[in-house]
Amino acid sequence: MTKRDAFLPVAAQPSVDALVEQAQRAEDYGYDRAWLPESWGRNAAVVLTSIAERTETIGIGTSIMPVYSRSPALIGMTAATLQEVSDGRLRLGLGPSGPIVIENWHGMDFGNPLRRTRETVDVVKQVLSGEEVSYDGEYFDLDGFRLRSDPPEPQPHIDAAGMGPKAVELAGRFADGWHALLLTEDGLADRYEDFRHGRELAGEDPDGGQVTLSLTCMALEDRERAREAVKQHVAFYVGAMGTYYRDNLARQGYEGLAHGIHDDWQAGNPGEAMARIDEEFLDTIAVGGTPDECRERVAEWESMDCVDRVSVSFPRDASVDEIIATVEALAPDA
């Protein structure tokens, strides 16, 4: 049975308390897990600690924690600590982020993100096992590290984010699950075959592992506002966040649209970029409208065989009130 999660906002929020309140609301409404991204705002580990201390049953997770901004040993230590403070409720999501974030803001060479992600997952698993870490890789050559505290019990699962075929295959081969983002239904089905192939290469059940789809949603009585918000969100990611999201959309058969949105946004014309997104396309990649419309559409995504969890996420300019309204409207039992 597909479970429904809440993906806490990537956009700036008024306070840590606001994020904790959103997680508490999600817990009250029956969501299974609260995922928190880490971009260029608050430290995800600190916020998740606050959430863990002020909730009781809802799972917590990072989606995603970039593999360039912390060493693998530190990521392992952080995951072990979060698993302890949450009483075993953590699931760790890792990924490379993108060159704009990593090179411009962290001052790191983006290099080979697939290799670095794989090595990070490998090392973090060794750290979390409690055994002495010995690793000889292209990026990391480690020997002698061991957790000073008891290893977490149970050991948290590790997911990897990915959009391209090789990245998704990597998630299937080396991680316990895959985090999918900005995919149409057809695009998701195509990439799922890459995930299954990765599982096969690892000697695992190809139908195993966990697929979590982050789905941008806005469910409001003001239908026009809801759809405008999700449209702006899609246009921003394709147009403003480097070339990863643009190429991801082009790979799904929307090359002209992807490049048009990107070029308009880069030329300083966000309104024209948004205008390229028609109603039909918007409904293939996001969920926006009245509560009844959105509940029906989310259920359709959840009915896909390749989806284990839909993570209800929110447009980047959504207000706290709009986020809470959407969390309530799309509650699993609503």
Side-chain angles (χ1 to χ4, degrees), residues 102-334:
I102 300 307
E103 294 184 348
N104 293 9
W105 301 340
H106 288 287
M108 300 284 288
D109 180 11
F110 197 58
N112 183 341
L114 294 180
R115 183 71 194 185
R116 190 177 182 106
T117 300
R118 173 197 167 166
E119 292 190 13
T120 298
V121 171
D122 286 344
V123 173
V124 171
K125 284 185 174 181
Q126 286 193 32
V127 170
L128 292 173
S129 74
E131 301 298 321
E132 186 172 300
V133 177
S134 178
Y135 194 81
D136 182 13
E138 181 179 331
Y139 282 93
F140 303 108
D141 185 5
L142 308 176
D143 189 52
F145 177 91
R146 178 181 289 181
L147 279 177
R148 207 170 191 178
S149 57
D150 291 336
E153 182 60 42
Q155 186 172 325
H157 291 290
I158 302 174
D159 298 336
M163 290 185 288
K166 288 299 182 182
V168 178
E169 180 186 293
L170 181 150
R173 188 174 182 182
F174 299 103
D176 301 308
W178 166 43
H179 285 220
L181 174 69
L182 279 181
L183 291 166
T184 65
E185 290 182 58
D186 288 342
L188 179 63
D190 287 343
R191 292 288 73 78
Y192 180 61
E193 292 307 310
D194 299 314
F195 181 68
R196 295 181 80 255
H197 181 57
R199 299 273 303 171
E200 290 174 340
L201 291 174
E204 301 286 350
D205 177 3
D207 295 318
Q210 178 173 289
V211 176
T212 301
L213 171 66
S214 177
L215 185 63
T216 305
C217 300
M218 181 78 98
L220 304 173
E221 294 299 339
D222 185 345
R223 185 177 190 273
E224 183 177 346
R225 161 60 188 162
R227 293 185 70 76
E228 189 73 3
V230 294
K231 181 182 292 188
Q232 196 275 348
H233 182 90
V234 173
F236 172 81
Y237 269 82
V238 175
M241 292 299 288
T243 60
Y244 265 26
Y245 297 98
R246 181 198 69 186
D247 294 345
N248 175 52
L249 184 56
R251 195 182 297 117
Q252 297 175 73
Y254 295 92
E255 186 170 0
L257 176 62
H259 285 274
I261 292 171
H262 183 269
D263 292 348
D264 282 341
W265 199 288
Q266 292 298 312
N269 301 313
E272 294 181 18
M274 290 174 61
R276 291 180 179 271
I277 301 175
D278 62 26
E279 297 298 294
E280 181 179 359
F281 173 74
L282 188 64
D283 286 331
T284 69
I285 204 165
V287 173
T290 66
D292 285 343
E293 286 178 302
C294 292
R295 282 190 286 267
E296 181 178 346
R297 189 71 185 102
V298 170
E300 291 173 356
W301 281 95
E302 289 177 333
S303 69
M304 295 183 67
D305 291 340
C306 58
V307 176
D308 297 302
R309 292 171 179 266
V310 164
S311 182
V312 174
S313 69
F314 313 99
R316 56 190 298 271
D317 72 338
S319 69
V320 172
D321 287 344
E322 289 171 335
I323 290 168
I324 296 297
T326 300
V327 167
E328 181 177 2
L330 299 182
D333 299 328

